[in-house]
Amino acid sequence: MALRIEREAAAGVALVTLDRSAKLNAIDLETAGELTSLWRGLRFDEAVRAVVLTGAGTRAFCTGIDRGVEVPQPPSPYAVDDPLLRIGPKANDLWKPVIAAVEGMACGGAFYLLGEAEFVVASREATFFDPHTTYGMVSAYEAMAMAQRMPYGEVARMALMGTAERLSAERAYTVGLVSEVTEPGGAVAAALRAAAVIAGCPTEAVQGTVRAVWAAKEAARTQAMAQAPALIALGNLPPEQQAELFGARGGGGQPRVR
């Protein structure tokens, strides 16, 4: 199992941990399937009224899709098979509130998860970045998700500069991506405290509010995401060239953190 789930029955809160610390909590196909099953199952679990999502260890919350995953793609430039499209709670019709607790790196495909969380709590040592352009890939779904949470210029800068620049927790708080910054190691505890407060409110009111807030941005997000498959298919380098860039650039040099 790539997920660890701990339930606090008295508080009505579930703590979900991406448990692949050796891989910086990158998501392989098994993990993607487990996340989908988890969210769909939680719809029926009346004992869980709020969820905290985090990553194992302190090095990373999640670093996106595992580079070892191979996903065959259809030949049409208008169709892209993306295994991460169903890893978030909203994609699986779960309207219980989800709070993300970030320690370390959150990058690339992690934004699929952060984009569907109600809010984000981050350790002071957390960093956020998008490596796609560095390795010859279009940042489409990731940038679209962040465009719902951050000012346009901040999203554009992060997405276009790739691994060369990382958003610090303090900067992420300033631009609205993060709602609370904690001391190192404190993100989960802070998120659990907030989740317990939310779980103590009437369930129907909470889920209705989650749905209402999501509806405020859902139309624009849906229209934007409809463009993503063609943009990715037309703009991505072939996989072998992406791999060459990844091998040649490694971590992309020393990133600038702001």
Side-chain angles (χ1 to χ4, degrees):
M1 294 288 288
L3 296 181
R4 188 169 72 247
I5 305 164
E6 303 164 68
R7 289 172 168 82
E8 296 187 8
V13 175
L15 173 61
V16 177
T17 304
L18 295 169
D19 197 10
R20 303 187 78 226
S21 57
K23 292 285 189 178
L24 298 176
N25 299 317
I27 298 172
D28 60 6
L29 297 182
E30 177 187 357
T31 310
E34 287 183 26
L35 281 165
T36 296
S37 296
L38 168 75
W39 302 130
R40 298 196 69 79
L42 284 176
R43 297 182 306 155
F44 299 94
D45 190 341
E46 295 185 13
V48 174
R49 299 184 295 279
V51 181
V52 171
L53 175 66
T54 193
T58 59
R59 295 178 63 200
F61 166 76
C62 174
T63 53
I65 194 163
D66 192 313
R67 297 253 345 148
V69 169
E70 293 186 9
V71 183
Q73 295 297 324
S76 170
Y78 301 101
V80 174
D81 285 348
D82 188 332
L84 301 189
L85 281 176
R86 303 295 297 179
I87 65 171
K90 308 301 185 298
N92 289 285
D93 200 35
L94 178 71
W95 300 103
K96 298 180 180 184
V98 176
I99 303 169
V102 178
E103 299 274 356
M105 296 181 288
C107 62
F111 297 145
Y112 288 71
L113 294 169
L114 298 184
E116 293 195 16
E118 269 51 70
F119 55 90
V120 179
V121 176
S123 156
R124 197 171 303 283
E125 294 181 347
T127 56
F128 304 82
F129 64 102
D130 189 344
H132 281 74
T133 57
T134 298
Y135 303 125
M137 296 178 284
V138 173
S139 177
Y141 293 113
E142 295 84 358
M144 289 170 184
M146 291 299 95
Q148 307 299 314
R149 313 201 74 132
M150 295 164 60
Y152 173 87
E154 295 291 336
V155 177
R157 179 168 179 149
M158 181 172 68
L160 292 171
M161 294 191 71
T163 60
E165 183 168 285
R166 300 186 181 190
L167 207 64
S168 68
E170 287 84 358
R171 182 61 182 168
Y173 176 79
T174 299
V175 302
L177 172 60
V178 168
S179 69
E180 180 180 354
V181 177
T182 74
E183 292 304 311
V188 169
L192 286 171
R193 287 193 294 270
V197 171
I198 296 169
C201 298
T203 299
E204 292 78 4
V206 168
Q207 292 191 31
T209 300
V210 169
R211 191 67 186 88
V213 173
W214 184 257
K217 63 180 182 179
E218 186 175 25
R221 182 177 181 273
T222 300
Q223 290 180 10
M225 290 179 69
Q227 307 295 319
L231 297 173
I232 293 169
L234 293 171
N236 276 14
L237 290 178
E240 60 274 14
Q241 292 185 33
Q242 295 176 25
E244 288 175 7
L245 285 173
F246 188 81
R249 300 193 184 191
Q254 288 297 319
R256 177 175 179 268
V257 179
R258 63 185 180 99

